């Protein structure tokens, strides 16, 4: 049976291939990561706690999960010791499996991760002097085939769940070793000896390395809207990971019908993969433009809830040699931004090549000239320094190793499998 099926995305008109449902865990336990406090309380009530106890335990567990990063119920010292196995028998605190962890010479880190049902995806951490940004994936593969993007050459395998999206943040914080250490302030139900080892007053969330999140990894977040929204709400919850909405950016290639909902229901910063200033070129680079054209897209940007000069919309613009990098392109970009009165900044991204890519990166002097024209019009236009190129972690380079197998190799494997089946 084919493992793809057309499924409409709620609230919009695009039929998008969403091939598989998530396979439940074989042991029947439920993974709590990605769930909001209310959902955890519901599960606890379904498992047998009365409503009041379920609510209290959910509050405690939520804090342990997302604020302290513990992965074992046995470590939850404000829950009575005899009660902890009750949770462990019914629930798990999951993390995506790390298949490969790579470290770039510039400090960028990339993790190849695997879902519990065996699908690979990637997450990238980019440290800077004043911030640390995690580039989070929303889908395994992508339907959109942007021509400059390596992920776009993969087919969509499935949407990531809220747990798998939040799990990327949890895993990065594990790897960076930045969960708060020491004793918590609230009352303990169990004064076991292990508790006394931690002197009071050491509880701190200082020294965060992971300060920002960009939904710019694999996939189009607005084609996985509900899961991305639910995940980001957990990430923003002040009792948990507590990342401010101002430090989170959602990047879309222009799924116009979902943009207003993204602003209203998630409320994070918006980035748009623009990459071209006229229909012909954008149709080629970002094929979604054939469905939602530039004018529609820019109107949706102008109406984006919460956009202001203090919270500008970022336009991503990949610099492709001889394709979209002329002086005229730069002037047209300025004209469009002014025409739609957009509070905007432009990120100029030198193209990061990948094997078989149909483009080359613009020459440095061309990028400089382009930036000068935009900047002279009063619009911020920094040129992004490529990060993590040596580990294929740079913008547009993400593609999982499994999907990198050539067509011929995949065909050969399929034939071998067929032969083995007799
Ligand atoms: S740029 Fe984003 S939306 Fe376009 S193909 Fe790549 S992952 Fe998909």
């Amino acid at each position: 049976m084919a493992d793809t099926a057309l499924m409409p995305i709620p609230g919009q008109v695009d039929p998008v291939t969403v091939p598989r449902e998530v396979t439940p865990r074989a042991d029947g336990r439920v993974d709590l990561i990605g769930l909001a406090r209310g959902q955890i309380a519901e599960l606890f009530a379904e498992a047998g706690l009365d409503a009041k106890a379920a609510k209290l335990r959910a509050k405690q567990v939520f804090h342990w999960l997302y604020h302290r990063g513990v992965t074992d119920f046995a470590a939850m010292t404000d829950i009575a010791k005899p009660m902890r196995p009750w949770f462990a028998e019914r629930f798990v605190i999951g993390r995506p499996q790390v298949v490969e962890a790579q470290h770039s010479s510039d400090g960028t880190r990339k993790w190849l991760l695997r879902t519990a049902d065996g699908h690979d995806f990637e997450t990238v951490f980019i440290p800077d002097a004043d911030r640390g940004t995690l580039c989070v994936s929303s889908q395994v593969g992508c339907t959109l085939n942007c021509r400059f993007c390596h992920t776009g050459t993969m087919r969509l395998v499935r949407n990531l769940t809220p747990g798998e999206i939040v799990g990327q943040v949890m895993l990065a914080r594990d790897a960076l070793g930045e969960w708060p250490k020491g004793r918590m302030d609230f009352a303990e139900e169990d004064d076991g000896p292990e508790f006394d080892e931690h002197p009071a007053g050491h509880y701190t969330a200082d020294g965060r390395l992971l300060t920002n999140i960009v939904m710019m990894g694999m996939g189009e977040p607005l084609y996985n809207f509900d899961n991305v929204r639910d995940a980001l709400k957990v990430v923003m919850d002040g009792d948990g990971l507590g990342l401010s909405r101002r430090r989170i950016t959602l990047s879309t290639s222009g799924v116009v019908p979902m943009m207003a909902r993204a602003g209203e229901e998630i409320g994070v910063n918006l980035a748009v993969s623009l990459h071209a200033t006229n229909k012909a070129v954008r149709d080629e680079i970002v094929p979604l433009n054939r469905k939602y054209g530039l004018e529609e897209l820019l109107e949706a940007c102008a109406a984006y809830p919460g956009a202001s000069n203090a919270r500008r919309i970022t336009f991503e613009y990949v610099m492709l040699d001889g394709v979209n990098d002329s002086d005229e392109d730069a002037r047209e970009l300025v004209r469009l931004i002014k025409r739609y009165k957009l509070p905007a900044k432009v990120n100029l991204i030198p193209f990061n090549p990948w094997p078989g890519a149909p483009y080359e990166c613009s020459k440095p002097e061309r990028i400089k000239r382009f930036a000068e024209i935009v900047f002279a019009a009063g619009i911020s236009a920094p040129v992004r320094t490529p990060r993590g190129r040596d580990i294929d972690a740079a913008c547009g380079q993400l593609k999982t190793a499994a999907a990198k197998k050539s067509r011929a190799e995949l065909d050969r494997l399929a034939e071998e499998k067929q032969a083995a089946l007799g």
Side-chain angles (χ1 to χ4, degrees):
M1 198 177 83
D3 55 10
T4 59
L6 284 180
M7 185 174 123
I9 296 295
Q12 63 179 23
V13 293
D14 296 324
V16 174
T17 51
V18 180
R20 294 174 211 210
E21 286 299 315
V22 182
T23 315
R25 288 175 57 90
D27 64 8
R29 292 188 296 167
V30 179
D31 190 347
L32 296 180
I33 292 298
L35 300 182
R37 228 180 340 256
Q39 292 170 302
I40 295 175
E42 275 170 32
L43 284 173
F44 289 176
E46 278 167 27
L49 296 185
D50 68 49
K52 197 167 163 233
K55 204 171 161 199
L56 170 70
R57 296 306 182 197
K59 187 171 189 285
Q60 292 170 311
V61 168
F62 186 91
H63 192 85
W64 282 111
L65 298 185
Y66 297 121
H67 195 83
R68 301 278 295 208
V70 305
T71 52
D72 189 348
F73 292 100
M76 300 185 180
T77 50
D78 61 339
I79 294 174
K81 228 176 202 171
M83 181 78 193
R84 295 175 207 165
W86 184 91
F87 289 101
E89 281 157 21
R90 291 162 179 81
F91 305 102
V92 288
I93 305 165
R95 292 289 190 269
Q97 181 194 342
V98 179
V99 179
E100 191 179 12
Q102 289 176 280
H103 220 128
S104 163
S105 53
D106 67 15
T108 300
R109 298 172 74 164
K110 181 170 87 168
W111 293 278
L112 174 64
L113 304 175
R114 183 163 295 162
T115 65
D117 55 352
H119 304 303
D120 293 352
F121 60 105
E122 293 180 327
T123 302
V124 178
F125 178 70
I126 307 139
D128 274 306
D130 60 340
R131 65 173 64 189
T133 305
L134 190 71
C135 182
V136 171
S137 292
S138 57
Q139 299 180 305
V140 181
C142 190
T143 46
L144 286 183
N145 305 115
C146 301
R147 281 203 84 200
F148 61 89
C149 172
H150 207 190
T151 310
T153 64
M154 286 176 75
R155 71 186 174 87
L156 177 70
V157 177
R158 75 161 163 80
N159 286 332
L160 291 175
T161 63
E164 289 156 352
I165 297 169
V166 176
Q168 296 171 62
V169 183
M170 308 295 286
L171 182 119
R173 291 201 79 190
D174 290 348
L176 296 167
E178 61 168 352
W179 294 109
K181 307 272 191 309
R183 174 178 171 170
M184 295 170 68
D185 292 337
F186 46 75
E188 304 279 324
E189 284 193 357
D190 176 76
D191 266 345
E194 80 282 54
F195 176 63
D196 294 327
E197 289 166 15
H198 302 293
H202 281 202
Y203 179 53
T204 170
D206 288 349
R208 276 198 174 186
L209 298 170
L210 197 171
T211 60
N212 290 59
I213 287 179
V214 290
M215 294 300 306
M216 285 185 195
M218 297 167 75
E220 163 55 60
L222 295 188
Y223 276 162
N224 186 15
F225 182 82
D226 290 352
N227 289 353
V228 167
R229 176 200 53 209
D230 293 351
L232 291 182
K233 287 200 163 165
V234 167
V235 169
M236 290 188 281
D237 192 301
D239 288 338
L241 288 155
L243 227 69
S244 151
R245 67 185 61 232
R246 291 172 188 279
R247 291 186 172 274
I248 301 174
T249 301
L250 183 148
S251 175
T252 179
S253 44
V255 184
V256 168
M258 299 305 286
M259 285 169 61
R261 274 188 72 190
E264 281 153 14
E265 295 178 34
I266 311 175
V268 295
N269 302 322
L270 180 70
V272 172
S273 295
L274 193 67
H275 308 311
T277 57
N278 65 65
K279 176 169 167 48
V281 178
R282 194 159 193 273
D283 276 359
E284 179 196 316
I285 303 176
V286 186
L288 186 66
N289 194 65
R290 295 175 202 160
K291 188 166 192 76
Y292 306 118
L294 265 172
E295 290 184 3
E296 245 183 299
L297 173 60
L298 296 174
E299 277 165 14
C301 290
Y304 185 72
S308 66
N309 276 332
R311 290 186 70 197
R312 287 176 290 169
I313 294 171
T314 304
F315 288 104
E316 310 286 352
Y317 200 98
V318 64
M319 299 300 295
L320 303 173
D321 186 28
V323 177
N324 63 355
D325 61 351
S326 68
D327 287 1
E328 187 44 43
D329 287 314
R331 284 192 279 269
E332 182 61 9
L333 180 58
V334 169
R335 197 186 67 75
L336 287 173
I337 288 172
K338 301 223 157 179
R339 180 171 154 212
Y340 288 90
K341 299 189 176 58
L342 296 169
K345 57 184 172 185
V346 176
N347 268 350
L348 297 174
I349 306 165
F351 174 62
N352 294 302
W354 37 270
Y359 301 115
E360 286 182 16
C361 182
S362 306
K363 307 278 177 293
E365 56 279 13
R366 184 91 292 277
I367 298 176
K368 186 163 172 274
R369 171 81 186 132
F370 195 103
E372 282 167 0
I373 293 173
V374 180
F375 187 72
I379 300 164
S380 159
V383 178
R384 291 285 158 208
T385 311
R387 300 291 303 269
R389 268 186 176 177
D390 54 339
I391 55 169
D392 282 351
C395 222
Q397 286 189 315
L398 299 188
K399 182 167 180 177
T400 53
K404 279 179 194 151
K405 289 191 173 73
S406 68
R407 190 66 256 165
E409 195 177 351
L410 289 171
D411 289 347
R412 184 181 57 74
L413 289 170
E415 276 169 25
E416 278 176 12
K417 199 169 159 194
Q418 198 59 37
L421 288 172

